[in-house]
Amino acid sequence: MHRVGDWLQLHGLDATLVQDALAAFRAGALSPQPFSAPTQLVQIEDAGRLPTQNECFVDIVAPALAHGFDDDADVTDALHGIEFAALPADGPRIPHTVDRGRGCPPLVVMEWKGRVDDLACLAHECAHALQIRLSGHDTMPPVAREACAFLGELLLIDHARRHDAALFGALLQTWTAENATYLGADLDTLSDALSNSGTAYQYRQNYPVARLAAVQLFKHRVECGLRSLFASGGGAMRHLPVEPMANRAGDVANHLPPMPDQDTDRPLLDAYRRLGAMALLDIDYWEGTSEERIKDYYARHLFHGQDRTALVVLDDDRKPVGYATWSIAPDSGSATLVRQAAPFGDHLTLQRALELHLQTAGFVVAHHPRSAREVQPAWR
């Protein structure tokens, strides 16, 4: 593989699709962050905070990766079959994982100084080794291979989120700092190269798409399942959401802050937060409500909240992406959608959430006061 055209062919991609995925990130439609940042990030001192590499592997990395695969016995066995070596003093100083063929365990070669970024690197390389074992040593295209490795880092961060708040903060800082390169200089290099398929191939061109895909896969890991990706070998690209990522290129960036987690002890506070989210969404959308007086707008939305005929839909980052209100016919129980607002392009997400939430057996219609047909079918 010598040229970018070869790289595209190997991965079954075309330049426009990849450029659209990169454009979606630049537009803010694809988040590079898998988690909300903690209130206060704690920086861990480089020296003395982390124990030996083997202790970190046994006590932190292996449990983190195993948990991400529901503690599958094959995954646990594969992890404990990894071997380690230090980087040679006279060779390249780049961490890497060696596939030594069937019957031989993968070899992780890296430097260990007990730093937080070393721990992230350990998870990255161990995910490479796990992918090699689960795929039966079937060579995986490099973008998919790096997506697996980045997923290893995300599973490590998630493990720290659940068990060690200070380590979580430090690992999240490391992830964010490295995004500046993977989704900065590397992304620009890839974007420039895609304009000419004859441009020389560089391995770092794999990182931007892999990084963004890993975040999307991590957020949807329950429904997607990571085992199928790690075990897929040469067919791995079908598991990466490159096309859905590219389809986000036209989306408007969602600038709204994430909603706090649901407060079961204070339901009234949650209700007013939802009311505020609806108002913020309407500030961006505001189609059909600009003539209303504030007191009428507030009264109507308050009624829907009290009547439980309002739904605010959040994305994976808990940012509000849209809302809907409806009325229920007392005789038939059928629903009439009164208003739907999705200012950032998430109309399909809103509709799917509505269908799931209403679960009505009757006919659902939408009310469009400015249409020639005021009442129109929404879905059956």
PDB file of all heavy atoms in Angstrom, residues 286-292 339 367-376:
ATOM      1  N   TRP A 286     -37.844  27.802  16.639  1.00  0.00           N
ATOM      2  CA  TRP A 286     -38.793  28.920  16.710  1.00  0.00           C
ATOM      3  C   TRP A 286     -39.754  28.980  15.540  1.00  0.00           C
ATOM      4  O   TRP A 286     -40.280  30.013  15.173  1.00  0.00           O
ATOM      5  CB  TRP A 286     -38.022  30.254  16.810  1.00  0.00           C
ATOM      6  CG  TRP A 286     -38.797  31.286  17.575  1.00  0.00           C
ATOM      7  CD1 TRP A 286     -39.331  32.448  17.084  1.00  0.00           C
ATOM      8  CD2 TRP A 286     -39.146  31.227  18.941  1.00  0.00           C
ATOM      9  NE1 TRP A 286     -39.991  33.116  18.085  1.00  0.00           N
ATOM     10  CE2 TRP A 286     -39.897  32.394  19.238  1.00  0.00           C
ATOM     11  CE3 TRP A 286     -38.910  30.309  19.958  1.00  0.00           C
ATOM     12  CZ2 TRP A 286     -40.407  32.646  20.504  1.00  0.00           C
ATOM     13  CZ3 TRP A 286     -39.417  30.562  21.229  1.00  0.00           C
ATOM     14  CH2 TRP A 286     -40.143  31.729  21.476  1.00  0.00           C
ATOM     15  N   GLU A 287     -39.975  27.877  14.872  1.00  0.00           N
ATOM     16  CA  GLU A 287     -40.899  27.838  13.745  1.00  0.00           C
ATOM     17  C   GLU A 287     -42.325  27.684  14.251  1.00  0.00           C
ATOM     18  O   GLU A 287     -42.693  26.676  14.842  1.00  0.00           O
ATOM     19  CB  GLU A 287     -40.543  26.673  12.830  1.00  0.00           C
ATOM     20  CG  GLU A 287     -41.439  26.563  11.605  1.00  0.00           C
ATOM     21  CD  GLU A 287     -41.048  25.380  10.739  1.00  0.00           C
ATOM     22  OE1 GLU A 287     -39.845  25.115  10.633  1.00  0.00           O
ATOM     23  OE2 GLU A 287     -41.960  24.730  10.196  1.00  0.00           O
ATOM     24  N   GLY A 288     -43.121  28.714  14.021  1.00  0.00           N
ATOM     25  CA  GLY A 288     -44.521  28.628  14.397  1.00  0.00           C
ATOM     26  C   GLY A 288     -44.835  29.117  15.794  1.00  0.00           C
ATOM     27  O   GLY A 288     -45.981  29.041  16.219  1.00  0.00           O
ATOM     28  N   THR A 289     -43.862  29.612  16.563  1.00  0.00           N
ATOM     29  CA  THR A 289     -44.161  30.092  17.917  1.00  0.00           C
ATOM     30  C   THR A 289     -43.708  31.538  18.123  1.00  0.00           C
ATOM     31  O   THR A 289     -43.869  32.076  19.208  1.00  0.00           O
ATOM     32  CB  THR A 289     -43.471  29.217  18.978  1.00  0.00           C
ATOM     33  OG1 THR A 289     -42.066  29.304  18.793  1.00  0.00           O
ATOM     34  CG2 THR A 289     -43.910  27.775  18.879  1.00  0.00           C
ATOM     35  N   SER A 290     -43.148  32.153  17.096  1.00  0.00           N
ATOM     36  CA  SER A 290     -42.586  33.494  17.282  1.00  0.00           C
ATOM     37  C   SER A 290     -43.646  34.550  17.571  1.00  0.00           C
ATOM     38  O   SER A 290     -43.336  35.605  18.133  1.00  0.00           O
ATOM     39  CB  SER A 290     -41.785  33.902  16.037  1.00  0.00           C
ATOM     40  OG  SER A 290     -42.595  33.832  14.888  1.00  0.00           O
ATOM     41  N   GLU A 291     -44.901  34.272  17.174  1.00  0.00           N
ATOM     42  CA  GLU A 291     -45.957  35.261  17.424  1.00  0.00           C
ATOM     43  C   GLU A 291     -46.550  35.146  18.828  1.00  0.00           C
ATOM     44  O   GLU A 291     -47.313  36.002  19.264  1.00  0.00           O
ATOM     45  CB  GLU A 291     -47.084  35.099  16.394  1.00  0.00           C
ATOM     46  CG  GLU A 291     -46.637  35.258  14.947  1.00  0.00           C
ATOM     47  CD  GLU A 291     -46.207  33.952  14.327  1.00  0.00           C
ATOM     48  OE1 GLU A 291     -45.996  32.979  15.083  1.00  0.00           O
ATOM     49  OE2 GLU A 291     -46.065  33.909  13.089  1.00  0.00           O
ATOM     50  N   GLU A 292     -46.217  34.094  19.547  1.00  0.00           N
ATOM     51  CA  GLU A 292     -46.818  33.856  20.860  1.00  0.00           C
ATOM     52  C   GLU A 292     -46.271  34.789  21.927  1.00  0.00           C
ATOM     53  O   GLU A 292     -45.084  35.135  21.920  1.00  0.00           O
ATOM     54  CB  GLU A 292     -46.552  32.408  21.307  1.00  0.00           C
ATOM     55  CG  GLU A 292     -47.599  31.432  20.857  1.00  0.00           C
ATOM     56  CD  GLU A 292     -47.426  30.113  21.580  1.00  0.00           C
ATOM     57  OE1 GLU A 292     -46.487  29.384  21.264  1.00  0.00           O
ATOM     58  OE2 GLU A 292     -48.236  29.823  22.489  1.00  0.00           O
ATOM     59  N   ARG A 339     -46.601  19.654  18.325  1.00  0.00           N
ATOM     60  CA  ARG A 339     -45.388  20.356  17.902  1.00  0.00           C
ATOM     61  C   ARG A 339     -44.192  19.405  17.951  1.00  0.00           C
ATOM     62  O   ARG A 339     -44.072  18.577  18.857  1.00  0.00           O
ATOM     63  CB  ARG A 339     -45.122  21.560  18.814  1.00  0.00           C
ATOM     64  CG  ARG A 339     -43.839  22.318  18.449  1.00  0.00           C
ATOM     65  CD  ARG A 339     -43.804  23.699  19.078  1.00  0.00           C
ATOM     66  NE  ARG A 339     -42.545  24.382  18.838  1.00  0.00           N
ATOM     67  CZ  ARG A 339     -42.197  24.960  17.695  1.00  0.00           C
ATOM     68  NH1 ARG A 339     -43.030  24.922  16.664  1.00  0.00           N
ATOM     69  NH2 ARG A 339     -41.047  25.587  17.556  1.00  0.00           N
ATOM     70  N   HIS A 367     -50.297  17.841  13.711  1.00  0.00           N
ATOM     71  CA  HIS A 367     -51.084  19.056  13.522  1.00  0.00           C
ATOM     72  C   HIS A 367     -50.181  20.122  12.916  1.00  0.00           C
ATOM     73  O   HIS A 367     -49.194  20.529  13.515  1.00  0.00           O
ATOM     74  CB  HIS A 367     -51.648  19.530  14.865  1.00  0.00           C
ATOM     75  CG  HIS A 367     -52.510  20.750  14.745  1.00  0.00           C
ATOM     76  ND1 HIS A 367     -53.675  20.767  14.027  1.00  0.00           N
ATOM     77  CD2 HIS A 367     -52.352  22.011  15.261  1.00  0.00           C
ATOM     78  CE1 HIS A 367     -54.223  21.979  14.108  1.00  0.00           C
ATOM     79  NE2 HIS A 367     -53.435  22.748  14.842  1.00  0.00           N
ATOM     80  N   HIS A 368     -50.512  20.567  11.683  1.00  0.00           N
ATOM     81  CA  HIS A 368     -49.713  21.577  10.987  1.00  0.00           C
ATOM     82  C   HIS A 368     -50.606  22.773  10.669  1.00  0.00           C
ATOM     83  O   HIS A 368     -51.249  22.832   9.627  1.00  0.00           O
ATOM     84  CB  HIS A 368     -49.123  21.013   9.685  1.00  0.00           C
ATOM     85  CG  HIS A 368     -48.211  19.855   9.901  1.00  0.00           C
ATOM     86  ND1 HIS A 368     -46.917  20.013  10.316  1.00  0.00           N
ATOM     87  CD2 HIS A 368     -48.415  18.517   9.765  1.00  0.00           C
ATOM     88  CE1 HIS A 368     -46.345  18.813  10.422  1.00  0.00           C
ATOM     89  NE2 HIS A 368     -47.235  17.902  10.101  1.00  0.00           N
ATOM     90  N   PRO A 369     -50.679  23.769  11.560  1.00  0.00           N
ATOM     91  CA  PRO A 369     -51.619  24.874  11.374  1.00  0.00           C
ATOM     92  C   PRO A 369     -51.333  25.718  10.141  1.00  0.00           C
ATOM     93  O   PRO A 369     -52.203  26.439   9.671  1.00  0.00           O
ATOM     94  CB  PRO A 369     -51.467  25.688  12.666  1.00  0.00           C
ATOM     95  CG  PRO A 369     -50.128  25.313  13.192  1.00  0.00           C
ATOM     96  CD  PRO A 369     -49.919  23.897  12.790  1.00  0.00           C
ATOM     97  N   ARG A 370     -50.121  25.673   9.594  1.00  0.00           N
ATOM     98  CA  ARG A 370     -49.792  26.508   8.438  1.00  0.00           C
ATOM     99  C   ARG A 370     -49.846  25.728   7.127  1.00  0.00           C
ATOM    100  O   ARG A 370     -49.433  26.213   6.101  1.00  0.00           O
ATOM    101  CB  ARG A 370     -48.403  27.117   8.621  1.00  0.00           C
ATOM    102  CG  ARG A 370     -48.323  28.005   9.858  1.00  0.00           C
ATOM    103  CD  ARG A 370     -47.051  28.799   9.909  1.00  0.00           C
ATOM    104  NE  ARG A 370     -47.035  29.661  11.086  1.00  0.00           N
ATOM    105  CZ  ARG A 370     -46.162  30.640  11.282  1.00  0.00           C
ATOM    106  NH1 ARG A 370     -45.233  30.873  10.391  1.00  0.00           N
ATOM    107  NH2 ARG A 370     -46.218  31.374  12.376  1.00  0.00           N
ATOM    108  N   SER A 371     -50.303  24.500   7.208  1.00  0.00           N
ATOM    109  CA  SER A 371     -50.372  23.667   6.022  1.00  0.00           C
ATOM    110  C   SER A 371     -51.757  23.726   5.411  1.00  0.00           C
ATOM    111  O   SER A 371     -52.747  24.029   6.079  1.00  0.00           O
ATOM    112  CB  SER A 371     -50.032  22.214   6.384  1.00  0.00           C
ATOM    113  OG  SER A 371     -50.288  21.367   5.294  1.00  0.00           O
ATOM    114  N   ALA A 372     -51.848  23.404   4.110  1.00  0.00           N
ATOM    115  CA  ALA A 372     -53.148  23.339   3.445  1.00  0.00           C
ATOM    116  C   ALA A 372     -54.007  22.252   4.072  1.00  0.00           C
ATOM    117  O   ALA A 372     -55.232  22.354   4.110  1.00  0.00           O
ATOM    118  CB  ALA A 372     -52.966  23.087   1.956  1.00  0.00           C
ATOM    119  N   ARG A 373     -53.335  21.208   4.553  1.00  0.00           N
ATOM    120  CA  ARG A 373     -54.035  20.154   5.298  1.00  0.00           C
ATOM    121  C   ARG A 373     -53.541  20.221   6.732  1.00  0.00           C
ATOM    122  O   ARG A 373     -52.439  19.809   7.042  1.00  0.00           O
ATOM    123  CB  ARG A 373     -53.728  18.778   4.711  1.00  0.00           C
ATOM    124  CG  ARG A 373     -54.241  18.568   3.304  1.00  0.00           C
ATOM    125  CD  ARG A 373     -53.735  17.239   2.741  1.00  0.00           C
ATOM    126  NE  ARG A 373     -54.155  16.137   3.600  1.00  0.00           N
ATOM    127  CZ  ARG A 373     -53.535  14.960   3.625  1.00  0.00           C
ATOM    128  NH1 ARG A 373     -52.480  14.745   2.873  1.00  0.00           N
ATOM    129  NH2 ARG A 373     -53.977  13.994   4.416  1.00  0.00           N
ATOM    130  N   GLU A 374     -54.363  20.772   7.610  1.00  0.00           N
ATOM    131  CA  GLU A 374     -53.899  21.016   8.967  1.00  0.00           C
ATOM    132  C   GLU A 374     -53.576  19.736   9.705  1.00  0.00           C
ATOM    133  O   GLU A 374     -52.649  19.697  10.509  1.00  0.00           O
ATOM    134  CB  GLU A 374     -54.938  21.824   9.747  1.00  0.00           C
ATOM    135  CG  GLU A 374     -55.033  23.268   9.285  1.00  0.00           C
ATOM    136  CD  GLU A 374     -55.815  24.099  10.262  1.00  0.00           C
ATOM    137  OE1 GLU A 374     -56.213  23.562  11.324  1.00  0.00           O
ATOM    138  OE2 GLU A 374     -56.033  25.287   9.992  1.00  0.00           O
ATOM    139  N   VAL A 375     -54.323  18.689   9.472  1.00  0.00           N
ATOM    140  CA  VAL A 375     -54.082  17.417  10.138  1.00  0.00           C
ATOM    141  C   VAL A 375     -53.564  16.429   9.094  1.00  0.00           C
ATOM    142  O   VAL A 375     -54.243  16.168   8.114  1.00  0.00           O
ATOM    143  CB  VAL A 375     -55.355  16.879  10.815  1.00  0.00           C
ATOM    144  CG1 VAL A 375     -55.078  15.517  11.436  1.00  0.00           C
ATOM    145  CG2 VAL A 375     -55.831  17.861  11.870  1.00  0.00           C
ATOM    146  N   GLN A 376     -52.347  15.913   9.332  1.00  0.00           N
ATOM    147  CA  GLN A 376     -51.722  15.011   8.387  1.00  0.00           C
ATOM    148  C   GLN A 376     -51.221  13.765   9.119  1.00  0.00           C
ATOM    149  O   GLN A 376     -50.844  13.857  10.294  1.00  0.00           O
ATOM    150  CB  GLN A 376     -50.543  15.695   7.676  1.00  0.00           C
ATOM    151  CG  GLN A 376     -50.940  16.959   6.928  1.00  0.00           C
ATOM    152  CD  GLN A 376     -49.752  17.649   6.322  1.00  0.00           C
ATOM    153  OE1 GLN A 376     -48.685  17.046   6.200  1.00  0.00           O
ATOM    154  NE2 GLN A 376     -49.907  18.896   5.939  1.00  0.00           N
TER     155      GLN A 376
END
